Amino acid sequence: MVSGSLARLASEAVGAGGWSFPQIAQRLSPAVSKFQDVVADRASGSYVWTTDGRKHLDFAGGIGVLSTGHCHPRIVAAIQQQAREIIMAQQNILPASKAMVGLLQRLERIMPSSLTTHFFCNSGAEAVENAVKIARNYTGRQNIISFDGAYHGRTYGAMALTTSKTVYRQNFGPYPSGVNVAPYPYCLHCKTRQAAGGLGYEVAPNVPPLGKPYAERQCCGTPQEALDWMLKMHTAPSETAAVIIEPILGEGGFLTPPPGFLTRLRELCDQHGMLLIFDEVQCGVARTGRWWGHQHLTEAQPDLLLFAKGIASGVPFAGVSARPQLYRRMSHGMMGGTYGGSAIGCAAAAATIDVIEEEGLLQNAAERGEQLARGLLSLAERYPIIDVRGRGLMLAAEFGRQQPDGSLRAEPGTASKLTHAAGRRGMLLLGAGARETVRFLPPLNLSAGEVDEGLSIFEDSLREVFG
């Protein structure tokens, strides 16, 4: 998810096990992008050490996976304890484990009240694939609506729903049928908004005291109108099983939709008997300062909610939480998977929820997110940052300058230059989306001092790139 790669630090970059980095790299698929020529050695909290002796401040967090930071003692202890009791409790042969029961009890506390039945799997993409199966089976319809800029995964069904970058799909067609892609409200670049004088959109996120209240942001209505026409021109409601959306767009750029957009999706789905799927793989599990990203934006609840990434602090684990009637129409054997609901994954997920609750990480994500956003807004006064957006510790900064035609654009490769400049200074960062955007996904237990350290490194990187 990071464009390009750093130039070789040396022909014999430090590796491990008696192999240099080039020797290691030649045994790994080049199709996986590599940020630096380094080998991970160990990690703790917000830092990673590599075998070349360097220390890195991690503001990428395994792409939003490390909710509790690297190797949190309570997560490590939960994994170790579970490994002593049972490692493999295969979900068909042994339908539940004590660790799974503990997780189910915790999900009762944090899930939207209507989502009481759960299916466990290994990754966000697998959760997406199974959500599509559930929706098609329940409704008897085949089509799915997703949105421009969405990232739902790399497996074939999930890839068909993904449009955040062409690189995730190129040369892999034909894709599974039945997918229709609707426009997403990318308000920053909306020509109607610009012509209307802004409609309440500003560089700061719509979160007081950083910016105006979210409710004051307006929308021209074009994306909603386009979705209405899609149901008349591309996919009839009687053939549409579900609408799937990331409540806060992830890989596509950390965009928040305008007020009322998610609520209108709920109403539209109810009107036509379609299901509403919230993909919370990146914006869920306290990342935004609330348990689920959609809770900042709407009172509406989805029919299915997908989670992964941060749920287990780095252990592969994911799930589909749904209204119970959706599962009741499925026959035994229609869903499954060898490693789904793994005992170690359940133990890590339960411990992650405990740490978030008991160590105040919801509040910390909100407070440290505000601190980080303030720092980015300060930098926007001196560098071409045209948007600071997101919620909690899911933040992004988009770069650009106004062009003669009124559009906002940055030099191609700007985000990559910035993430690599930060990397050379010992900070891990990622880009996001097709436009020039850098995202920030540090651990939820990040300290105020670590935020200041990250902002200082980022400012040095901005100075290198922009002068």
Side-chain angles (χ1 to χ4, degrees):
M1 297 187 184
V2 179
S3 301
S5 63
L6 287 176
R8 297 290 180 193
L9 298 176
S11 60
E12 294 296 315
V14 176
W19 286 355
S20 67
F21 185 86
Q23 289 174 310
I24 297 168
Q26 71 184 12
R27 291 167 170 82
L28 297 172
S29 169
V32 178
S33 61
K34 297 170 180 62
F35 178 63
Q36 297 189 63
D37 295 352
V38 295
V39 176
D41 182 18
R42 59 189 175 88
S44 178
S46 299
Y47 295 94
V48 178
W49 287 262
T50 48
T51 55
D52 57 5
R54 298 175 65 206
K55 179 182 178 182
H56 309 258
L57 178 63
D58 191 354
F59 269 45
I63 317 180
V65 167
L66 297 164
S67 301
T68 59
H70 289 277
C71 302
H72 189 289
R74 293 178 64 179
I75 308 302
V76 172
I79 293 169
Q80 290 173 332
Q81 178 63 32
Q82 187 59 52
R84 283 192 289 267
E85 294 175 359
I86 186 168
I87 293 176
M88 180 58 169
Q90 204 282 327
Q91 61 183 334
N92 300 103
I93 302 166
L94 300 167
S97 62
K98 289 194 300 181
M100 183 183 289
V101 173
L103 175 59
L104 289 169
Q105 292 171 339
R106 288 162 174 82
L107 291 177
E108 292 279 308
R109 301 200 298 264
I110 69 171
M111 275 291 166
S113 59
S114 60
L115 308 184
T116 59
T117 308
H118 315 281
F119 168 76
F120 299 128
C121 49
N122 304 293
S123 70
E126 193 177 348
V128 168
E129 300 266 358
N130 280 284
V132 170
K133 289 162 62 176
I134 294 166
R136 285 176 168 168
N137 178 76
Y138 181 78
T139 63
R141 307 171 184 178
Q142 70 270 29
N143 291 347
I144 306 292
I145 294 175
S146 63
F147 287 87
D148 269 336
Y151 181 89
H152 295 296
R154 294 177 180 263
T155 52
Y156 256 86
M159 180 179 64
L161 299 164
T162 292
T163 54
S164 56
K165 286 181 184 176
T166 56
V167 70
Y168 303 135
R169 296 160 52 102
Q170 67 185 32
N171 301 330
F172 295 147
Y175 313 116
S177 61
V179 174
N180 295 268
V181 181
Y184 186 90
Y186 204 145
C187 297
L188 175 65
H189 297 284
C190 173
K191 303 298 184 185
T192 304
R193 179 194 67 79
Q194 294 170 2
L199 297 179
Y201 199 94
E202 54 186 359
V203 175
N206 293 114
V207 182
L210 297 170
K212 297 176 182 177
Y214 177 61
E216 292 185 13
R217 178 179 157 193
Q218 301 174 60
C219 180
C220 68
T222 300
Q224 183 59 62
E225 184 180 6
L227 182 58
D228 292 338
W229 280 108
M230 175 173 279
L231 292 171
K232 296 177 184 293
M233 301 172 68
H234 296 277
T235 174
S238 61
E239 296 181 315
T240 306
V243 175
I244 184 170
I245 188 170
E246 299 165 274
I248 299 176
L249 210 63
E251 161 67 14
F254 285 23
L255 307 176
T256 54
F261 188 79
L262 296 180
T263 302
R264 174 59 181 147
L265 288 185
R266 176 72 275 172
E267 295 168 351
L268 194 67
C269 288
D270 290 343
Q271 177 185 349
H272 295 296
M274 304 179 299
L275 300 183
L276 179 60
I277 305 170
F278 283 171
D279 180 344
E280 294 253 12
V281 168
Q282 188 158 172
C283 66
V285 195
R287 170 57 52 187
T288 64
R290 297 190 183 179
W291 275 111
W292 308 106
H294 75 270
Q295 293 170 335
H296 291 276
L297 310 170
T298 182
E299 295 295 323
Q301 294 188 12
D303 299 296
L304 303 97
L305 185 150
L306 317 182
F307 59 88
K309 286 189 182 291
I311 190 65
S313 295
V315 175
F317 199 82
V320 181
S321 297
R323 300 178 189 270
Q325 62 267 32
L326 273 59
Y327 283 114
R328 292 188 191 127
R329 288 195 182 178
M330 306 195 86
S331 303
H332 296 304
M334 292 180 73
M335 297 173 67
T338 301
Y339 297 103
S342 71
I344 287 179
C346 286
T352 296
I353 293 170
D354 288 346
V355 169
I356 291 171
E357 289 182 327
E358 295 169 17
E359 298 186 11
L361 299 196
L362 285 165
Q363 181 177 352
N364 194 67
E367 291 176 354
R368 298 288 72 75
E370 181 179 330
Q371 179 189 356
L372 178 56
R374 283 187 184 280
L376 293 172
L377 289 169
S378 176
L379 293 173
E381 297 174 2
R382 304 189 297 281
Y383 297 98
I385 296 174
I386 54 175
D387 202 15
V388 175
R389 54 182 180 249
R391 296 291 187 274
L393 285 172
M394 182 179 180
L395 292 174
E398 183 172 334
F399 295 83
R401 290 187 170 94
Q402 189 162 21
Q403 305 298 310
D405 63 359
S407 64
L408 297 166
R409 290 197 303 274
E411 179 183 345
T414 295
S416 179
K417 290 177 183 177
L418 284 166
T419 57
H420 290 132
R424 288 190 290 273
R425 291 167 170 81
M427 181 179 182
L428 304 180
L429 280 176
L430 297 169
R435 298 183 186 270
E436 299 303 323
T437 302
V438 173
R439 57 179 147 171
F440 301 82
L441 289 166
L444 304 183
N445 50 0
L446 185 75
S447 71
E450 289 165 345
V451 173
D452 288 340
E453 180 184 356
L455 286 167
S456 177
I457 295 173
F458 192 57
E459 182 172 10
D460 289 342
S461 303
L462 289 167
R463 190 176 300 112
E464 175 186 326
V465 172
F466 294 109

